[in-house]
Amino acid sequence: QSWTRGMSYCLHSENHLDTGPIYVRENGKLHMVNQGAGGIQNVTPKTRPFRLFSRGFSVELCMNREDDRARRQRTDHFIFTYTKEGNLRYSAKSLFSLVLGYISDNVDHIDSLIGFPEQIAEKLFSAAEARQKFTEPVTGLRALQKFTEAYGNLVLCSLCLRNRYLVISEKLEEIKSFRELTCLDLSCCKLGDEHELLEHLTKEALSSVKRLLLKDNSLSDAGLRRMTAPVRVLKKGLENLLVLDLSCNPKITDVGVGYLLSFKKLNCLDISGTGLKDVNAVIKRIQTQIGLVHSKVPLKEFDHSNCKTEGWAEQTILQWEQAVMEAIKPQDDLRSRTAALRFYGKTHRIEEVVKCKLVEAETKTSGNLQFYKEKVQNCHLPLKKEVAGSHELRNNKKRALAEQEKERTSKQKHLCLTVEDWDLLNTY
């Protein structure tokens, strides 16, 4: 049937001259006009429309189910460019780029990269990173471990995870695979004393860390005792630490600061916003035992401007962060959910960033407890006027320090190993 302007024709007869019955629609009702009875005399006979296909012909729509990977391999061997005139040109890729692309697609099947040239390995890492191979749950970790085992700090020498507690929870095993880091920023992550990443800091893989920022991580004296146990007893772990930030951890007391005295190479220390009871005694103890002077001016080492993620895996960290942010992307109905959480006394994890800023404001009002070593000029802001007046005091204190150090070392030979320390050492 074919309908046109309120009139439809139903063609039943096979005779080309016979138009068949005629139907007329009036006021929404369909009426048949008998042409043979002479109901309508002026209707001109119409020829039957030409049929391209028979009535039993049917068409089936089929989708092209060809594999996308096979289609990509067809065009992946060529480079398409446009000329100034707008013409499309293509040229074949080099054999090196083709092999590099094939290996990066199967990077998780590599047995080892030890002894492989660094220049080619960097290109291989970039190719695998562009294909987002390191974001995959299982194969990405396996591939990343092959690179970190062979190239260490070239893959990543500095890692900044400030406020990235979600990235830490999702990619903990990948983060633990990084070796020979020199700078690690874990500020405002609320890790606590029992977190697995803090235990990983005492391993030999991170003995190269020179700058460690643990600001606002809910640490206490127990966490510091665990973190410093390998250094105090075995002379391993974070023995090369130069800069340490433990500010905004109110559970750290005078006892916890005593564990930090085992870091003999420490040049800068920040314990602002901690729960110290006798501040003056702590300042004297730090100055006499590890030679750090209390700074009246905020040190530039703790402004977090110099800590950045650097290395081959810089874009990989950004990919992890983007994947996590897309997974927790706020929806339209999240306002009612957050309101319900507040009603029941619960807070959302995203609000922890604001809490970190509030703690920073409280630290500024309570006082600045940052320490530096006077011999190190690049560690602090210019303080020449204050340092010049303390030269005579330093010469007198050096003599007293030498005698105190001999007595302290002789006592430590008998008293440094406690039962709790032995329990900790048995866990390593």
Side-chain angles (χ1 to χ4, degrees):
Q1 294 181 353
S2 175
W3 304 86
T4 306
R5 293 183 181 181
M7 182 176 292
S8 62
Y9 302 93
C10 182
L11 305 179
H12 293 286
S13 177
E14 296 297 332
N15 188 4
H16 294 284
L17 298 178
D18 185 13
T19 59
I22 300 175
Y23 296 87
V24 179
R25 183 182 294 278
E26 292 180 359
N27 298 326
K29 295 182 179 180
L30 191 64
H31 302 279
M32 184 179 66
V33 179
N34 189 359
Q35 186 176 358
I40 298 178
Q41 300 293 335
N42 57 353
V43 177
T44 58
K46 294 186 178 180
T47 60
R48 183 179 179 182
F50 175 74
R51 286 185 179 275
L52 183 60
F53 304 101
S54 62
R55 291 189 177 183
F57 181 81
S58 62
V59 179
E60 181 181 0
L61 183 61
C62 298
M63 300 297 295
N64 186 8
R65 298 177 181 177
E66 186 180 4
D67 189 8
D68 294 336
R69 184 176 298 178
R71 188 186 304 112
R72 187 182 63 209
Q73 288 178 355
R74 252 193 252 162
T75 59
D76 198 32
H77 296 174
F78 302 96
I79 301 175
F80 296 92
T81 56
Y82 282 96
T83 61
K84 295 181 179 179
E85 294 79 9
N87 300 326
L88 181 64
R89 290 184 178 181
Y90 65 92
S91 58
K93 290 185 178 180
S94 62
L95 181 60
F96 175 79
S97 60
L98 294 178
V99 174
L100 192 68
Y102 178 78
I103 298 177
S104 60
D105 287 332
N106 303 277
V107 67
D108 56 303
H109 296 290
I110 297 176
D111 292 334
S112 177
L113 288 170
I114 299 176
F116 198 69
E118 298 176 358
Q119 295 81 0
I120 302 178
E122 183 179 2
K123 295 181 179 180
L124 179 60
F125 189 93
S126 301
E129 190 178 53
R131 290 166 169 80
Q132 296 187 353
K133 289 293 182 180
F134 302 114
T135 59
E136 299 176 0
V138 180
T139 59
L141 174 60
R142 190 186 307 130
L144 189 62
Q145 289 175 347
K146 301 301 179 183
F147 282 95
T148 54
E149 289 174 0
Y151 305 104
N153 61 349
L154 292 178
V155 179
L156 208 65
C157 61
S158 177
L159 178 58
C160 181
L161 295 174
R162 181 180 173 89
N163 292 324
R164 307 297 196 276
Y165 43 87
L166 294 178
V167 179
I168 295 175
S169 60
E170 293 294 330
K171 299 293 181 180
L172 179 60
E173 295 299 326
E174 286 81 353
I175 294 172
K176 289 169 60 177
S177 66
F178 293 119
R179 300 187 175 188
E180 300 180 12
L181 289 173
T182 57
C183 179
L184 181 59
D185 188 354
L186 299 174
S187 303
C188 305
C189 290
K190 304 290 185 181
L191 298 180
D193 297 330
E194 303 293 334
H195 200 276
E196 189 176 352
L197 185 57
L198 292 179
E199 183 181 355
H200 180 67
L201 291 176
T202 61
K203 305 297 181 182
E204 294 183 1
L206 292 181
S207 60
S208 60
V209 174
K210 296 182 179 180
R211 188 179 182 193
L212 180 60
L213 306 179
L214 296 174
K215 180 179 183 179
D216 191 15
N217 270 285
S218 303
L219 297 176
S220 65
D221 298 339
L224 294 184
R225 185 173 66 84
R226 290 185 177 183
M227 190 174 64
T228 58
V231 181
R232 289 186 288 111
V233 182
L234 300 177
K235 304 300 180 182
K236 295 182 180 180
L238 299 172
E239 57 179 352
N240 297 318
L241 199 61
L242 299 178
V243 179
L244 178 61
D245 186 2
L246 293 172
S247 59
C248 303
N249 290 292
K251 294 182 180 180
I252 296 177
T253 63
D254 304 17
V255 179
V257 175
Y259 296 130
L260 304 178
L261 302 179
S262 58
F263 296 130
K264 299 302 180 182
K265 297 181 180 180
L266 204 61
N267 290 332
C268 296
L269 175 65
D270 189 0
I271 53 175
S272 305
T274 54
L276 301 180
K277 297 179 181 179
D278 193 351
V279 178
N280 295 327
V282 171
I283 293 175
K284 292 181 180 179
R285 190 177 181 185
I286 293 175
Q287 185 172 359
T288 55
Q289 294 193 16
I290 56 178
L292 297 182
V293 181
H294 180 221
S295 175
K296 297 181 180 179
V297 182
L299 303 179
K300 66 178 181 179
E301 287 292 327
F302 302 110
D303 60 359
H304 300 273
S305 61
N306 297 327
C307 186
K308 300 178 181 178
T309 301
E310 298 178 355
W312 296 353
E314 180 180 355
Q315 295 298 323
T316 303
I317 305 299
L318 294 178
Q319 291 176 0
W320 293 348
E321 184 178 356
Q322 291 175 358
V324 171
M325 295 305 295
E326 289 178 359
I328 62 168
K329 206 169 187 180
Q331 301 176 358
D332 297 334
D333 58 343
L334 278 184
R335 292 184 178 179
S336 60
R337 295 182 184 178
T338 53
L341 290 176
R342 291 176 182 175
F343 177 78
Y344 289 105
K346 299 179 181 180
T347 54
H348 202 262
R349 293 188 67 181
I350 299 178
E351 295 179 356
E352 292 180 359
V353 181
V354 182
K355 288 182 180 180
C356 181
K357 295 180 180 180
L358 293 176
V359 174
E360 291 178 1
E362 294 177 359
T363 304
K364 292 180 181 179
T365 58
S366 62
N368 182 28
L369 288 177
Q370 295 181 354
F371 300 86
Y372 68 96
K373 188 168 289 186
E374 292 177 340
K375 295 180 181 179
V376 182
Q377 298 178 357
N378 296 327
C379 181
H380 52 82
L381 294 175
L383 298 171
K384 295 182 179 179
K385 295 182 180 179
E386 300 176 3
V387 175
S390 61
H391 281 300
E392 296 179 358
L393 294 175
R394 270 188 297 158
N395 295 328
N396 296 329
K397 288 179 180 180
K398 282 182 181 179
R399 299 174 183 174
L401 281 174
E403 297 178 356
Q404 293 178 2
E405 189 70 16
K406 292 180 181 179
E407 296 178 357
R408 188 176 60 83
T409 52
S410 61
K411 292 180 180 180
Q412 278 187 349
K413 290 181 181 179
H414 303 282
L415 301 177
C416 64
L417 297 178
T418 62
V419 178
E420 296 178 350
D421 291 336
W422 279 114
D423 293 339
L424 280 175
L425 292 176
N426 291 329
T427 61
Y428 293 100

